[in-house]
Amino acid sequence: MRLRHKPWAKDKLQEYSNYVIQDPEAFRGNWGAAFEKSQPLHIEIGTGKGQFITGMAKANPDINYIGIELQESVIVSALDRLIDSDLPNCKLMNVNGAELAKYFKSGDIHRVYLNFSDPWPKTRHEKRRLTFKSFLEVYEAILVKNGEIHFKTDNQGLFEYSLVSFSHYGMLLKYVSLDLHNSEYEGNIMTEYEEKFSSRGSRIYRCEVQFIAE
Ligand code: SAM
């Protein structure tokens, strides 16, 4: 994602503490307390400008959502969207997805969404891919038993790499689409990247994978 420096972003994220979780450690093991209603919690890692997470929260009021994004100059756009929509079941967190075990206990999360994650095509950058083994270990540590990851991308290389990574980890491949927009899948909520790439004719890949409890 191309970044425009926004020196005011940090202050704005702090100002809107009703939408941006300021002290995530405080909710570890008790995330229901961060929302109006205590209900299942789904997170998107690398939420970008927040179109997907706010769309999901609007469509599913009985689920709580958190959009997690590393870049404050990007997540501040998701904050604007959230302010406009004023959804009680959606929050944002400006943290690194690699560190989520600091903020969530086993069972805190019911589902992880990864959408159009940065592909990091060079082999020496493999560890940065959000579907690399060390990230899967973090997701497994915070999800409910038999929790799921739902993953979409336009990048065939990253998709194939991720299917292998999930499979080597021992996960169950529950659903795979090699052309989401020409499949029978219903209820798809588009991300910003999905709109951009599909409008240029790119194919969208999607899968649902599940951790298998021993
Ligand atoms: N999901 C959005 C979409 O589909 O439109 C944004 C996709 S963008 C290519 C990937 C986003 O993931 C970027 O905004 C980047 O800052 C964020 N990101 C990358 N690594 C991350 C990490 N370790 N933790 C949190 N966010 C991360």
Short mmCIF file of all heavy atoms in Angstrom, two decimals, residues 123-153:
data_model
loop_
_atom_site.label_atom_id
_atom_site.label_comp_id
_atom_site.label_asym_id
_atom_site.label_seq_id
_atom_site.Cartn_x
_atom_site.Cartn_y
_atom_site.Cartn_z
N THR A 123 12.23 -14.65 -1.58
CA THR A 123 12.36 -15.75 -0.62
C THR A 123 12.92 -15.25 0.71
O THR A 123 12.51 -15.71 1.77
CB THR A 123 13.29 -16.84 -1.21
OG1 THR A 123 12.75 -17.20 -2.47
CG2 THR A 123 13.35 -18.07 -0.32
N ARG A 124 13.84 -14.29 0.66
CA ARG A 124 14.44 -13.83 1.92
C ARG A 124 13.44 -13.06 2.81
O ARG A 124 13.70 -12.82 3.97
CB ARG A 124 15.70 -13.00 1.65
CG ARG A 124 15.47 -11.64 1.04
CD ARG A 124 16.80 -10.86 1.03
NE ARG A 124 16.61 -9.47 0.66
CZ ARG A 124 16.55 -9.02 -0.58
NH1 ARG A 124 16.68 -9.86 -1.59
NH2 ARG A 124 16.37 -7.75 -0.82
N HIS A 125 12.28 -12.71 2.22
CA HIS A 125 11.24 -12.02 3.00
C HIS A 125 10.09 -12.94 3.40
O HIS A 125 9.07 -12.47 3.90
CB HIS A 125 10.67 -10.84 2.19
CG HIS A 125 11.65 -9.73 2.00
ND1 HIS A 125 11.68 -8.94 0.86
CD2 HIS A 125 12.65 -9.28 2.80
CE1 HIS A 125 12.65 -8.06 0.98
NE2 HIS A 125 13.26 -8.24 2.14
N GLU A 126 10.27 -14.25 3.20
CA GLU A 126 9.19 -15.21 3.46
C GLU A 126 8.59 -15.03 4.86
O GLU A 126 7.37 -15.11 5.06
CB GLU A 126 9.72 -16.64 3.30
CG GLU A 126 8.67 -17.70 3.53
CD GLU A 126 9.25 -19.10 3.60
OE1 GLU A 126 10.48 -19.27 3.59
OE2 GLU A 126 8.43 -20.05 3.69
N LYS A 127 9.45 -14.76 5.86
CA LYS A 127 8.97 -14.69 7.25
C LYS A 127 8.00 -13.53 7.48
O LYS A 127 7.33 -13.47 8.51
CB LYS A 127 10.17 -14.53 8.19
CG LYS A 127 10.99 -15.78 8.29
CD LYS A 127 12.14 -15.63 9.26
CE LYS A 127 12.91 -16.93 9.27
NZ LYS A 127 14.17 -16.82 10.00
N ARG A 128 7.95 -12.57 6.53
CA ARG A 128 7.03 -11.44 6.70
C ARG A 128 5.63 -11.75 6.19
O ARG A 128 4.70 -10.99 6.44
CB ARG A 128 7.55 -10.23 5.91
CG ARG A 128 8.91 -9.76 6.40
CD ARG A 128 9.31 -8.52 5.62
NE ARG A 128 10.70 -8.17 5.88
CZ ARG A 128 11.33 -7.15 5.33
NH1 ARG A 128 10.68 -6.37 4.48
NH2 ARG A 128 12.58 -6.89 5.62
N ARG A 129 5.50 -12.83 5.42
CA ARG A 129 4.17 -13.17 4.87
C ARG A 129 3.24 -13.56 6.01
O ARG A 129 3.63 -14.34 6.89
CB ARG A 129 4.28 -14.32 3.85
CG ARG A 129 5.14 -13.96 2.67
CD ARG A 129 5.31 -15.15 1.71
NE ARG A 129 6.41 -14.89 0.79
CZ ARG A 129 7.17 -15.82 0.20
NH1 ARG A 129 6.91 -17.10 0.42
NH2 ARG A 129 8.15 -15.49 -0.60
N LEU A 130 2.02 -13.06 5.98
CA LEU A 130 1.09 -13.30 7.10
C LEU A 130 0.61 -14.74 7.16
O LEU A 130 -0.10 -15.11 8.09
CB LEU A 130 -0.10 -12.34 7.02
CG LEU A 130 0.20 -10.85 7.26
CD1 LEU A 130 -1.09 -10.04 7.30
CD2 LEU A 130 1.01 -10.60 8.52
N THR A 131 1.01 -15.57 6.18
CA THR A 131 0.67 -16.99 6.23
C THR A 131 1.91 -17.85 6.47
O THR A 131 1.87 -19.07 6.30
CB THR A 131 -0.05 -17.44 4.93
OG1 THR A 131 0.74 -17.03 3.80
CG2 THR A 131 -1.42 -16.81 4.82
N PHE A 132 3.03 -17.22 6.87
CA PHE A 132 4.24 -17.96 7.25
C PHE A 132 3.96 -18.71 8.56
O PHE A 132 3.14 -18.29 9.38
CB PHE A 132 5.41 -16.98 7.42
CG PHE A 132 6.71 -17.63 7.77
CD1 PHE A 132 7.35 -18.49 6.87
CD2 PHE A 132 7.31 -17.41 9.01
CE1 PHE A 132 8.55 -19.10 7.20
CE2 PHE A 132 8.52 -18.01 9.35
CZ PHE A 132 9.13 -18.87 8.44
N LYS A 133 4.69 -19.81 8.76
CA LYS A 133 4.47 -20.69 9.92
C LYS A 133 4.40 -19.93 11.25
O LYS A 133 3.54 -20.20 12.09
CB LYS A 133 5.60 -21.72 9.95
CG LYS A 133 5.51 -22.73 11.04
CD LYS A 133 6.60 -23.80 10.84
CE LYS A 133 6.57 -24.82 11.94
NZ LYS A 133 7.53 -24.61 12.99
N SER A 134 5.30 -18.97 11.47
CA SER A 134 5.32 -18.28 12.78
C SER A 134 4.03 -17.49 13.00
O SER A 134 3.56 -17.36 14.14
CB SER A 134 6.53 -17.35 12.88
OG SER A 134 6.47 -16.37 11.89
N PHE A 135 3.43 -16.97 11.91
CA PHE A 135 2.14 -16.28 12.06
C PHE A 135 1.03 -17.30 12.35
O PHE A 135 0.15 -17.03 13.17
CB PHE A 135 1.81 -15.48 10.80
CG PHE A 135 2.49 -14.14 10.75
CD1 PHE A 135 3.68 -13.96 10.05
CD2 PHE A 135 1.97 -13.04 11.43
CE1 PHE A 135 4.32 -12.73 10.03
CE2 PHE A 135 2.60 -11.81 11.41
CZ PHE A 135 3.79 -11.65 10.70
N LEU A 136 1.10 -18.47 11.69
CA LEU A 136 0.07 -19.49 11.95
C LEU A 136 0.10 -19.91 13.42
O LEU A 136 -0.93 -20.14 14.04
CB LEU A 136 0.27 -20.71 11.04
CG LEU A 136 0.21 -20.44 9.52
CD1 LEU A 136 0.31 -21.74 8.74
CD2 LEU A 136 -1.05 -19.67 9.14
N GLU A 137 1.32 -19.96 13.99
CA GLU A 137 1.44 -20.32 15.42
C GLU A 137 0.73 -19.28 16.30
O GLU A 137 0.06 -19.62 17.27
CB GLU A 137 2.93 -20.41 15.81
CG GLU A 137 3.59 -21.66 15.27
CD GLU A 137 5.12 -21.63 15.37
OE1 GLU A 137 5.68 -20.62 15.80
OE2 GLU A 137 5.72 -22.63 14.96
N VAL A 138 0.89 -18.00 15.91
CA VAL A 138 0.22 -16.93 16.68
C VAL A 138 -1.30 -17.07 16.55
O VAL A 138 -2.03 -17.03 17.55
CB VAL A 138 0.67 -15.53 16.17
CG1 VAL A 138 -0.18 -14.42 16.81
CG2 VAL A 138 2.15 -15.29 16.46
N TYR A 139 -1.79 -17.29 15.33
CA TYR A 139 -3.25 -17.40 15.14
C TYR A 139 -3.81 -18.59 15.93
O TYR A 139 -4.85 -18.48 16.56
CB TYR A 139 -3.62 -17.54 13.65
CG TYR A 139 -3.00 -16.52 12.72
CD1 TYR A 139 -2.71 -16.84 11.39
CD2 TYR A 139 -2.69 -15.25 13.17
CE1 TYR A 139 -2.14 -15.90 10.54
CE2 TYR A 139 -2.11 -14.31 12.32
CZ TYR A 139 -1.83 -14.65 11.01
OH TYR A 139 -1.25 -13.73 10.17
N GLU A 140 -3.07 -19.71 15.87
CA GLU A 140 -3.56 -20.90 16.59
C GLU A 140 -3.61 -20.62 18.10
O GLU A 140 -4.52 -21.08 18.80
CB GLU A 140 -2.65 -22.11 16.30
CG GLU A 140 -3.22 -23.37 16.93
CD GLU A 140 -2.44 -24.63 16.58
OE1 GLU A 140 -1.22 -24.55 16.34
OE2 GLU A 140 -3.07 -25.70 16.57
N ALA A 141 -2.64 -19.85 18.58
CA ALA A 141 -2.55 -19.58 20.02
C ALA A 141 -3.70 -18.69 20.53
O ALA A 141 -3.99 -18.69 21.73
CB ALA A 141 -1.21 -18.92 20.35
N ILE A 142 -4.32 -17.93 19.66
CA ILE A 142 -5.35 -16.97 20.13
C ILE A 142 -6.77 -17.38 19.72
O ILE A 142 -7.74 -16.85 20.25
CB ILE A 142 -5.05 -15.53 19.63
CG1 ILE A 142 -5.09 -15.44 18.10
CG2 ILE A 142 -3.68 -15.07 20.15
CD1 ILE A 142 -4.86 -14.02 17.57
N LEU A 143 -6.86 -18.32 18.77
CA LEU A 143 -8.19 -18.73 18.27
C LEU A 143 -8.85 -19.73 19.22
O LEU A 143 -8.19 -20.38 20.04
CB LEU A 143 -8.05 -19.38 16.90
CG LEU A 143 -8.07 -18.44 15.69
CD1 LEU A 143 -7.49 -19.15 14.46
CD2 LEU A 143 -9.49 -17.96 15.39
N VAL A 144 -10.16 -19.87 19.06
CA VAL A 144 -10.88 -20.97 19.71
C VAL A 144 -10.38 -22.28 19.12
O VAL A 144 -9.76 -22.31 18.05
CB VAL A 144 -12.41 -20.86 19.48
CG1 VAL A 144 -12.99 -19.66 20.19
CG2 VAL A 144 -12.73 -20.82 17.99
N LYS A 145 -10.67 -23.37 19.83
CA LYS A 145 -10.35 -24.71 19.32
C LYS A 145 -11.00 -24.90 17.95
O LYS A 145 -12.17 -24.51 17.77
CB LYS A 145 -10.95 -25.71 20.31
CG LYS A 145 -10.22 -27.00 20.43
CD LYS A 145 -10.78 -27.74 21.62
CE LYS A 145 -10.78 -29.21 21.37
NZ LYS A 145 -11.45 -29.96 22.40
N ASN A 146 -10.28 -25.46 17.01
CA ASN A 146 -10.78 -25.65 15.64
C ASN A 146 -11.17 -24.33 14.96
O ASN A 146 -12.09 -24.30 14.12
CB ASN A 146 -11.97 -26.62 15.60
CG ASN A 146 -11.60 -28.00 16.12
OD1 ASN A 146 -10.52 -28.50 15.84
ND2 ASN A 146 -12.48 -28.61 16.90
N GLY A 147 -10.49 -23.26 15.33
CA GLY A 147 -10.77 -21.94 14.73
C GLY A 147 -10.32 -21.89 13.27
O GLY A 147 -9.53 -22.72 12.81
N GLU A 148 -10.83 -20.88 12.56
CA GLU A 148 -10.61 -20.81 11.10
C GLU A 148 -9.92 -19.52 10.67
O GLU A 148 -10.07 -18.48 11.32
CB GLU A 148 -11.96 -20.90 10.37
CG GLU A 148 -12.66 -22.21 10.56
CD GLU A 148 -13.95 -22.33 9.78
OE1 GLU A 148 -14.25 -21.44 8.96
OE2 GLU A 148 -14.65 -23.34 10.00
N ILE A 149 -9.21 -19.65 9.56
CA ILE A 149 -8.67 -18.48 8.85
C ILE A 149 -9.39 -18.41 7.50
O ILE A 149 -9.49 -19.43 6.80
CB ILE A 149 -7.16 -18.63 8.57
CG1 ILE A 149 -6.37 -18.81 9.87
CG2 ILE A 149 -6.63 -17.42 7.79
CD1 ILE A 149 -4.89 -19.12 9.63
N HIS A 150 -9.88 -17.24 7.15
CA HIS A 150 -10.46 -17.03 5.83
C HIS A 150 -9.55 -16.06 5.08
O HIS A 150 -9.27 -14.96 5.59
CB HIS A 150 -11.89 -16.46 5.93
CG HIS A 150 -12.87 -17.44 6.50
ND1 HIS A 150 -14.24 -17.27 6.40
CD2 HIS A 150 -12.69 -18.61 7.17
CE1 HIS A 150 -14.85 -18.31 6.99
NE2 HIS A 150 -13.93 -19.12 7.46
N PHE A 151 -9.10 -16.47 3.92
CA PHE A 151 -8.02 -15.75 3.22
C PHE A 151 -8.42 -15.46 1.78
O PHE A 151 -8.88 -16.36 1.07
CB PHE A 151 -6.78 -16.64 3.28
CG PHE A 151 -5.59 -16.16 2.51
CD1 PHE A 151 -5.11 -14.87 2.68
CD2 PHE A 151 -4.91 -17.00 1.64
CE1 PHE A 151 -3.99 -14.43 1.98
CE2 PHE A 151 -3.79 -16.57 0.95
CZ PHE A 151 -3.33 -15.29 1.11
N LYS A 152 -8.22 -14.20 1.34
CA LYS A 152 -8.49 -13.82 -0.06
C LYS A 152 -7.27 -13.09 -0.60
O LYS A 152 -6.64 -12.31 0.14
CB LYS A 152 -9.64 -12.81 -0.17
CG LYS A 152 -11.01 -13.29 0.13
CD LYS A 152 -12.07 -12.29 -0.37
CE LYS A 152 -12.33 -11.17 0.60
NZ LYS A 152 -13.58 -10.42 0.30
N THR A 153 -7.00 -13.28 -1.87
CA THR A 153 -5.91 -12.54 -2.52
C THR A 153 -6.07 -12.60 -4.03
O THR A 153 -6.73 -13.50 -4.55
CB THR A 153 -4.53 -13.14 -2.13
OG1 THR A 153 -3.50 -12.37 -2.76
CG2 THR A 153 -4.38 -14.59 -2.54
#
